[in-house]
């Protein structure tokens, strides 16, 4: 976090929740830098901000493609060393071309008097910009409530992942952006919104063009079409899947996807310390769980659990965290909500497929009283600047789940994990939402026109996922001192899936729970997750019973 003002204790406290292992606050001229570290990569922890005579860096994230020779050092240290050696601005900006992984950062060059900041091109980590005409703040999360903001006239916005931003410390009225890719209509719309919201003039420089996005092509173009392979709805779902899995092109695509997703999961479960959150003060190797999965029992998270089993030390348990909320419209407390039921079923499948693994199934049960107490005192700050009923429901569900306090085999237990795997991105990539089905079915045109309508809807969802989901979820989950990692939103996984046509990702001629996310369901079925592959999608806010279906998701929440 960087700010041109002092840091209040409330803000320090909430930032330290994200980075509980190290805290350092440094003031250089008019700028105050606050670094709060959760140690994940490198044998030795790298305190932040990291600085030299000329440069200062605050880095929040993970670099998953460090050179093999540098894998023992902190990714923050590696990046700072690389950036500090750059001879000019062009070289500095080009450093970000090759980085793979979720991140946000602030980098100050004292000689140029410039602050560079931004989020990765997929927008996985949070970064906020606050402006009250007297100072600017660039920070991961905020702590000033809605009513206080009105009184002190602070404007806060999530920085869209448009590129690398630059502000000159002597003139904070304008901001230069080096776009990740050539600006299109959607990019310009987001830039205009940012400009009008925060009160800065946005100027555009040359585009960065990340290597993963612009170099190397998807060599395998597949010819299968799930609509042409449609076998009707009269067969048992398992029979439908067995028939589809006889197609050589489908199998080839699934094999390609398997290699990419396995690599993504491996990176995300192996890049952490050999000690858990509980054992940090002593930094001693331990056998406690270091990996947790937010586990509804659906196909997305169950695939991640199955794959994580391959790469997590067999002597260590993996935490599967399932959350349930007290119903709003019942006098009887019933924790056996739909997501709890599906999670129990999928857990039994995992036990059969992975008999040597100890699965810690953590049941998080939340009363309405505890929900509203935490929402009003803590969670609302993390969700801000988003304000809808949907943001409230999903934000609260993720906060309680990632906190990891619940029952394990009937006994009170708290997760020791430092990493939380989430299934984010799967619905957007593979066509898992009802609106995707509606976009296809409500189009009265030809098959080609229907597919075009579906592609438009898929692209719309993909473009807005950083704003609607990812930044909020990063703030909420990180508050428990755990790092959220989303294996489906990995650069090469994303590139591969988005190279597939809509008709190769889903098929809405089939029933719900069969044709939506069909490619991913086939993938899970092939892994052996057969019952899980047929479960209908449920949004977490409904599966956990936190939300009332009568409420409009886009309405303003009275608690935010």
């Amino acid at each position: 976090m960087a700010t041109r003002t002092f840091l209040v204790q409330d803000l320090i406290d909430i930032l330290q929740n994200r980075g509980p292992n190290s805290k350092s606050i440094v003031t250089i001229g008019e700028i105050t830098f606050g670094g709060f570290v959760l140690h994940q990569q490198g044998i030795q922890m790298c305190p932040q901000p990291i600085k030299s005579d000329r440069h200062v860096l605050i880095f929040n994230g993970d670099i998953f493609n460090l050179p093999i020779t540098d894998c023992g050092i902190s990714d923050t240290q590696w990046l700072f060393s690389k950036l500090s050696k750059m001879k000019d601005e062009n070289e500095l900006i080009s450093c970000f071309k090759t980085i793979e992984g979720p991140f946000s950062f602030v980098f100050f060059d004292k000689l140029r008097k410039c602050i560079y900041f931004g989020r990765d091109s997929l927008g996985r980590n949070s970064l906020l910009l606050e402006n009250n005409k007297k100072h600017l703040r660039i920070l991961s999360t905020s702590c000033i409530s809605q009513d206080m903001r009105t009184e002190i006239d602070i404007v806060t916005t999530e920085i869209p992942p448009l590129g690398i931003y630059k502000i000159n410390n002597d003139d904070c009225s304008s901001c230069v952006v080096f776009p990740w890719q050539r600006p299109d209509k959607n990019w310009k719309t987001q830039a205009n919104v940012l400009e009008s919201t925060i009160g800065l003039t946005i100027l555009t420089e040359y585009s960065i063009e990340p290597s993963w996005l612009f170099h190397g092509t998807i060599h395998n173009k597949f010819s299968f079409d799930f609509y042409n392979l449609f076998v009707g709805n009269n067969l048992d779902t398992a029979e439908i899947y067995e028939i589809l899995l006889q197609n050589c092109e489908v199998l080839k695509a699934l094999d390609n996807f398997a290699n990419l997703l396995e690599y993504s999961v491996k990176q995300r479960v192996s890049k952490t310390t050999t000690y858990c959150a509980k054992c940090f003060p002593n930094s001693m190797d331990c056998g406690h769980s270091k990996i947790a999965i937010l586990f509804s029992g659906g196909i997305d998270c169950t695939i991640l659990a199955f794959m994580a089993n391959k790469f997590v030390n067999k002597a260590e348990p993996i935490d599967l965290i399932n959350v349930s909320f007290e119903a709003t419209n019942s006098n009887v407390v019933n924790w056996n909500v739909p997501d709890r039921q599906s999670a129990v079923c999928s857990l039994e499948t995992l036990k059969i497929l992975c008999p040597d693994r100890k699965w810690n199934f953590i049941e998080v049960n939340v009363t309405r009283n505890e929900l509203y107490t935490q929402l009003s005192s803590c969670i609302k700050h993390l969700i801000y600047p988003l304000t809808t009923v949907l943001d409230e429901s999903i934000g609260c569900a993720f906060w309680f789940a990632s906190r990891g306090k619940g029952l394990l085999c009937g006994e009170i237990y708290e997760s020791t994990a430092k990493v939380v795997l989430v299934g984010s991105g799967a619905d957007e990539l593979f066509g898992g939402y009802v609106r995707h089905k509606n976009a296809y079915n409500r189009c009265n045109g030809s098959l080609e026109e229907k597919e075009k309508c579906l592609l438009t809807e898929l692209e719309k969802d993909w473009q807005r996922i950083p704003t609607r989901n990812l930044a909020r979820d990063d703030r909420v989950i990180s508050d428990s001192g755990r790092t959220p990692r989303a294996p489906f939103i990995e650069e090469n996984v994303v590139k591969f899936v988005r190279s597939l046509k809509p008709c190769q990702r889903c098929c809405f001629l089939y029933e719900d729970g069969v044709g939506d996310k069909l490619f991913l369901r086939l993938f899970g079925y092939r892994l052996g997750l057969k019952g899980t592959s047929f479960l209908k999608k449920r949004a977490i806010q409904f599966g956990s019973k936190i939300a009332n279906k009568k409420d409009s998701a886009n309405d303003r929440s009275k608690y935010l």
Side-chain angles (χ1 to χ4, degrees), residues 189-207:
T189 298
Q190 291 187 72
N192 289 338
V193 170
L194 177 63
E195 190 174 56
S196 60
T197 301
I198 211 68
L200 299 178
T201 301
I202 303 295
L203 307 172
T204 306
E205 270 282 1
Y206 58 87
S207 57

Side-chain angles (χ1 to χ4, degrees), residues 324-328 337-338 368 540-548:
S324 172
F325 291 86
E326 181 181 8
T328 57
V337 298
R368 286 285 148 179
I540 188 173
Q541 64 269 30
F542 299 126
S544 66
K545 291 295 184 182
I546 187 175
N548 187 334

Side-chain angles (χ1 to χ4, degrees), residues 400-468:
F400 280 102
S402 58
R403 188 174 64 160
K405 292 182 179 180
L407 299 176
L408 174 60
C409 301
E411 300 291 328
I412 296 175
Y413 179 84
E414 182 174 354
S415 174
T416 59
K418 297 181 70 175
V419 171
V420 176
L421 297 187
V422 293
S424 303
D427 290 312
E428 288 81 1
L429 286 169
F430 291 100
Y433 291 120
V434 172
R435 57 180 171 269
H436 298 148
K437 180 179 181 179
N438 290 340
Y440 183 86
N441 288 337
R442 291 175 181 174
C443 176
N444 295 320
S446 64
L447 291 176
E448 291 77 11
E449 290 169 327
K450 281 176 172 287
E451 183 166 356
K452 186 177 180 180
C453 287
L454 173 56
L455 179 61
T456 299
E457 194 65 33
L458 287 168
E459 286 298 303
K460 188 189 302 181
D461 265 344
W462 183 250
Q463 294 297 334
R464 64 190 179 189
I465 189 175
T467 304
R468 292 187 61 169

Side-chain angles (χ1 to χ4, degrees), residues 59-99:
F59 180 76
N60 169 37
D62 288 296
I63 300 176
F64 288 125
N65 64 331
L66 288 180
I68 295 176
T69 53
D70 294 325
C71 284
I73 69 171
S74 161
D75 49 358
T76 303
Q77 180 67 61
W78 178 87
L79 179 61
F80 181 72
S81 176
K82 194 172 177 66
L83 293 176
S84 299
K85 294 174 183 176
M86 297 300 101
K87 298 175 183 177
D88 55 36
E89 186 173 80
N90 288 347
E91 287 192 8
L92 189 148
I93 295 299
S94 70
C95 280
F96 293 93
K97 270 190 173 188
T98 57
I99 293 177

Side-chain angles (χ1 to χ4, degrees), residues 289-341:
S289 61
K290 301 170 186 69
I291 304 297
I293 299 167
L294 300 193
F295 193 71
S296 66
I299 187 61
D300 313 340
C301 61
T302 309
I303 286 174
L304 297 183
F306 178 84
M307 289 193 151
N309 175 68
K310 293 185 177 184
F311 305 110
V312 173
N313 188 324
K314 295 297 181 186
E316 298 175 3
I318 295 176
D319 292 345
L320 304 178
I321 308 176
N322 180 268
V323 65
S324 172
F325 291 86
E326 181 181 8
T328 57
N329 54 358
S330 174
N331 295 323
V332 180
V333 177
N334 176 22
W335 302 119
N336 197 30
V337 298
D339 275 3
R340 180 68 48 83
Q341 296 172 37

Side-chain angles (χ1 to χ4, degrees), residues 172-235:
C172 292
S173 63
S174 64
C175 178
V176 174
V177 183
F178 298 84
W180 286 119
Q181 51 188 308
R182 187 185 301 274
D184 57 12
K185 183 179 179 181
N186 178 63
W187 191 99
K188 293 173 183 176
T189 298
Q190 291 187 72
N192 289 338
V193 170
L194 177 63
E195 190 174 56
S196 60
T197 301
I198 211 68
L200 299 178
T201 301
I202 303 295
L203 307 172
T204 306
E205 270 282 1
Y206 58 87
S207 57
I208 301 170
E209 301 187 351
S211 300
W212 71 269
L213 187 59
F214 286 89
H215 301 288
T217 58
I218 300 294
H219 296 292
N220 293 312
K221 295 295 182 182
F222 306 101
S223 60
F224 72 92
D225 181 327
F226 284 135
Y227 288 88
N228 291 337
L229 296 174
F230 179 66
V231 296
N233 285 307
N234 296 325
L235 297 176

